[in-house]
Amino acid sequence: MSIARGFGAVAIFAWVTIGIASPAWADGPTTPTSPASPAPAAHVGELSGTYTFTVGSGNTTTWTVTPCGPGCANVAAANSSAGNAPYDGQAQLAGERWNMTAARPDALTCDDNSRAPGTTTYSWDGTTLAGAAFSQGGPGSCHSTDPNGFRSPTTEFTLTKVG
């Protein structure tokens, strides 16, 4: 009776071992160059230092970024080549994207080229540092009759770490 139990235990062990090992070796051993190995995920790094914020027109602004905890960064923007007023905001990491909304005295460029206050919302990829921004003003901003206010077109931008 104990011999039969011993054979049964060995048979179960062998079946489990083969069942577990077979899928791992079905395509051969996995090596760093093997197509069976997944590519390492891109790493979303901490935001810290000095960055050049560049929009499609070529205008730039200097962003000085200071970490404020995990997934948090304080941004101070100054030295705009377009003459924009300095502004600041707090960026939060959500998944692999950084997001920030900043109140700005000159967020909107109206149809008559005057400037109006509003908020600018920025969102950028944490790995590539490419993103988009749009500005929103309240009702009456830029002489808008829309009860939701005035919204600027979306602007693409890139961040380049310079220090």
Side-chain angles (χ1 to χ4, degrees):
M1 180 90 168
S2 64
I3 293 175
R5 265 192 232 153
F7 282 132
V10 169
I12 290 172
F13 177 76
W15 177 77
V16 169
T17 304
I18 292 169
I20 291 171
S22 291
W25 289 93
D27 295 318
T30 302
T31 63
T33 57
S34 169
S37 294
H43 177 68
V44 175
E46 178 181 272
L47 228 61
S48 180
T50 305
Y51 296 79
T52 299
F53 171 93
T54 307
V55 295
S57 66
N59 289 328
T60 62
T61 301
T62 300
W63 278 16
T64 303
V65 182
T66 309
C68 52
C72 179
N74 290 319
V75 176
N79 304 324
S80 167
S81 66
N84 296 332
Y87 59 91
D88 57 46
Q90 192 172 79
Q92 299 290 324
L93 185 62
E96 294 187 5
R97 292 197 71 78
W98 287 93
N99 300 292
M100 177 178 81
T101 299
R104 297 184 45 205
D106 55 1
L108 301 167
T109 301
C110 305
D111 291 338
D112 63 1
N113 285 326
S114 65
R115 302 301 299 258
T119 58
T120 303
T121 300
Y122 304 85
S123 180
W124 65 97
D125 182 277
T127 303
T128 66
L129 301 181
F134 70 89
S135 296
Q136 177 82 37
S141 294
C142 292
H143 313 291
S144 173
T145 57
D146 186 331
N148 295 318
F150 179 84
R151 179 177 166 161
S152 70
T154 299
T155 302
E156 308 262 332
F157 68 86
T158 58
L159 291 171
T160 305
K161 186 160 181 149
V162 293

